[in-house]
Amino acid sequence: MINQILIVQVILDHYHEKLDHLFDYMVPRQFQSHITAGMRVLVPFGKSNRMLEAFVMETAEIQETTHPLKEIHQILDEQPVLSAEQLQMVRWMTKAYFCRSIEAIRCFVPSHRAGQKKKTMVQLAGSPSDGLTQAQGLTGAPVQQRILCCLADSPKMPLKKLMDTAGAGRSSVMALAKKGYVIIQEESDRRDPLATLQRIDYPEPTLSQEQALVIEDIHRHWKHKPSQEVLLHGITGSGKTEVYMQLIKETLSNNRDSIMLVPEISLTPQMVQRFRGRFGDQVAVLHSHLSEGERLDEWHRIRSGEARIIIGPRSAIFAPCRDLGMIIIDEEHESTYKSEQSPRYHAHEIALLRSRLEKAQLVLGSATPSVEVYHRALHHEMKLVQLKERATGGFLPEVTIVDLRDEVRHGNCTLFSKPLVDSLRDCLGQGHQAILLLNRRAFATYVNCLHCGHVIQCEHCDITMKWHKKEKVLKCHYCGTQHATPEHCPECERPLAYQGAGTQRAEETLKSLFPENTIMRMDQDATRLKGSHQAILEQFATKSVDILIGTQMIAKGLDFPNVTLVGILLADTSLNLPDFRASERTFQLITQVAGRAGRGAAAGKVVLQTYQPEHYAVDLAAHQDYERFYHLEIQLRSQFHYPPFTRLMQVTFTGPDERQVGETAVKIARGMAYMLEEHHYSSIKDIVLEPGPALVNKVENRYRYTLLLKTAGVSFSFLKKMVKYLLVDKKEQQIPAEMTVVIDPDPRFIQ
Ligand code: ADP
Ligand code: ZN
């Protein structure tokens, strides 16, 4: 008989590009019976045989080896940390997103460095009354008596706490254990990320008729097409969360797990609080602000089935559920669902894949669905259900548009028009609260010289510096460079003007207009510290703050019934970006923030200030007319060959030498044009190649060029093949070593 040799193919836990392939190792006899794909192992690597962690992707039996193989040193897991489905997804992700295997694996498996913390628990062996009887028998040992009495009160306690409460030493507890009166056990000491979250009860309301019908509709749909997605299109305040909770409750009763994605978890403590209030400790959270230990503990809790409902931002889509039954993506249209780091995945795409592999159901929800998703729903690729009324019975707020050009004509150059100030007075006078949106942080947008026109720019980046008044500094929002504010123009030495307006300046103006009221600001600068979002929102909830002013952070998901006025200081901030999604984003932002008003008993009002009242995104958002907006927008997408009619891919080249970067981009574009012609495509008609400097052309002294690829006549898979050939397989020949290339197969922001 020929001797079979058992080998494993592993991916090393190392990010170096050159190590991104499978390595073969032999499996020594003592490990052969229990090693399987998906386990972590320790392997010797390199000349020095340094030990590295690695993931087993496959096991194989071979007859002989062409070269001597090293042996694995140790197996680190009893059970695989990656299931067969997850291994399949890892392989898929490396191809779809041009990422390294280890980057895809790390989405699923957190670092195990923090280990599991243990604590010693002491428990009565019998019932509390047994304990008391035993205590009576121990007349000569008063300390042991005290211990038993403590435990009779609370039958299971951490050893430390028990010793403190009973005033006892360890030896007395051990003596009781020897007698068989108490049991001592090690238990995992969980690091709970929600430990500081205030616990509330969130009882189930009676569903509104609309909610009940929607749920029925969803069930009927899944009876026929169990694998098809559902889009829940519900106006702001229509009670989508309650629909999600019902679906999750049913999933739970079938003994299956649910994942609920939210755009950004630190902005939605209310959502987490409600889920905890309804489902208790079965809720786990996963997000990037967790400590390594918290993340690992939550991961174990999910794997063991102790936590069955996972809430988190896009990365929570990788939660290690044992039996995934339901995935919900709330505020589906948000751009945060797309990762801007490798792997550059979109949570919706991963959710689709997971739902198919694991037979889970997928629900997307939004008041302003993305144009791509709504297009699919209208073309019956997913089921559309709608909520058209507010759950609490109120109406959508009335919107007043203020043309800022009129204000300027009347000599008012601030961002506070007369109608807005009047409405604020009214709202505060009635004891209500207001939310003001200005999607631009800092004080002045930029600093320029009114005489020579010089604008102060970052010396490392191609972008203007922003003035932060409180700290009295100029900051670059790209690289973080900051320096003191100059008083005179560095070019002509005349005094400088501080132009534009951000949240800080608006806050200051507001304080002078309403000196009696409390005002709070919420933006990236005000929320640097962990937990600061929560603190600001809690203060606002207790009504100790009258006006909350902030960037888009305040637009999402907040539900405060006492807010009756929303002011949008400048609706056009996002409108003029060179991005084909600029109108869509503006429409979504206005609708979302307007939806914060009038969620309680009193009617809501919105004052929308703009320089472009005639723009369709502004006008239709003011009229809360999603349907008309969609139909206008989809025509433009079709006309200009944008998604959903085409797919985009963006390649970004960066390097220290601008000429080299530009020439490389052009060379690659030519290479693609050549390949297209070889396959009888036309590079102009079938694929649009647009090499050119990026919108922000220089960051941290490195120049950036982008190549935008748009499929018109070719398939996306052909495009991917071409990009892989030129920029992955032939990378070393094509790209100078000092340059980097980033391939984004689904760019959300075109630059
Ligand atoms: P959405 O996510 O659709 O904007 P929410 O889920 O935040 O809306 O619900 C808006 C408000 O309506 C919340 O305060 C919620 O508690 C309340 N609500 C939802 N469903 C019901 C119901 N069936 N009965 C009473 N109140 C409800
Ligand atoms: Zn900079």
Side-chain angles (χ1 to χ4, degrees), residues 623-675:
H623 290 95
Q624 323 242 357
D625 194 342
Y626 177 81
E627 297 290 327
R628 283 225 7 234
F629 172 78
Y630 167 79
H631 287 289
L632 277 176
E633 183 68 20
I634 200 82
Q635 277 172 20
L636 291 173
R637 298 285 180 92
S638 162
Q639 196 177 339
F640 294 107
H641 305 290
Y642 275 118
F645 301 101
T646 53
R647 288 205 60 170
L648 302 177
M649 194 180 314
Q650 183 169 263
V651 184
T652 308
F653 302 89
T654 50
D657 177 353
E658 183 167 17
R659 223 178 97 192
Q660 184 188 48
V661 175
E663 282 172 5
T664 308
V666 170
K667 184 178 81 179
I668 295 294
R670 285 216 191 102
M672 287 186 185
Y674 180 74
M675 281 180 79

Side-chain angles (χ1 to χ4, degrees), residues 202 205-208 211 235-242 274 391-392 559 599:
Y202 195 62
T206 317
L207 291 181
S208 71
Q211 285 169 327
I235 62 165
T236 53
S238 57
K240 293 185 285 294
T241 314
E242 202 50 55
R274 287 175 179 180
T392 47
D559 183 29
R599 292 167 82 92

Side-chain angles (χ1 to χ4, degrees), residues 423-424 426-436 517-518 520 536-548 559-567 596-599 602-605:
S423 304
L424 270 168
D426 237 30
C427 160
L428 300 175
Q430 290 173 36
H432 295 149
Q433 291 165 288
I435 289 181
L436 299 182
N517 296 96
T518 32
M520 253 191 146
I536 294 176
L537 294 180
E538 268 166 22
Q539 282 194 51
F540 195 61
T542 58
K543 303 183 194 168
S544 58
V545 172
D546 302 313
I547 307 174
L548 183 64
D559 183 29
F560 296 114
N562 196 42
V563 172
T564 55
L565 177 68
V566 163
R596 303 308 113 207
R599 292 167 82 92
K605 185 170 178 184

Side-chain angles (χ1 to χ4, degrees), residues 10 13 22 42 78 128 131 189 203 253-254 356 367 383 392 433 471 495 556-557 602 605 620 631 715:
V10 305
D13 186 21
L22 292 170
L42 270 189
E78 279 163 29
D189 186 7
S253 71
N254 292 329
R356 282 186 197 141
K383 167 80 182 167
T392 47
Q433 291 165 288
E471 298 122 297
K556 293 172 195 171
K605 185 170 178 184
L620 293 174
H631 287 289
S715 69

Side-chain angles (χ1 to χ4, degrees), residues 698-735:
K698 185 174 127 191
V699 173
E700 292 184 52
N701 291 323
R702 288 174 70 85
Y703 292 87
R704 312 205 296 176
Y705 272 66
T706 56
L707 182 57
L708 182 65
L709 307 167
K710 188 152 76 172
T711 59
V714 298
S715 69
F716 192 56
S717 66
F718 181 80
L719 174 59
K720 276 200 289 194
K721 258 187 225 152
M722 202 164 69
V723 168
K724 180 172 181 293
Y725 176 76
L726 282 172
L727 293 171
V728 181
D729 303 345
K730 294 252 173 274
K731 188 173 171 194
E732 276 175 37
Q733 290 100 297
Q734 300 283 349
I735 311 291

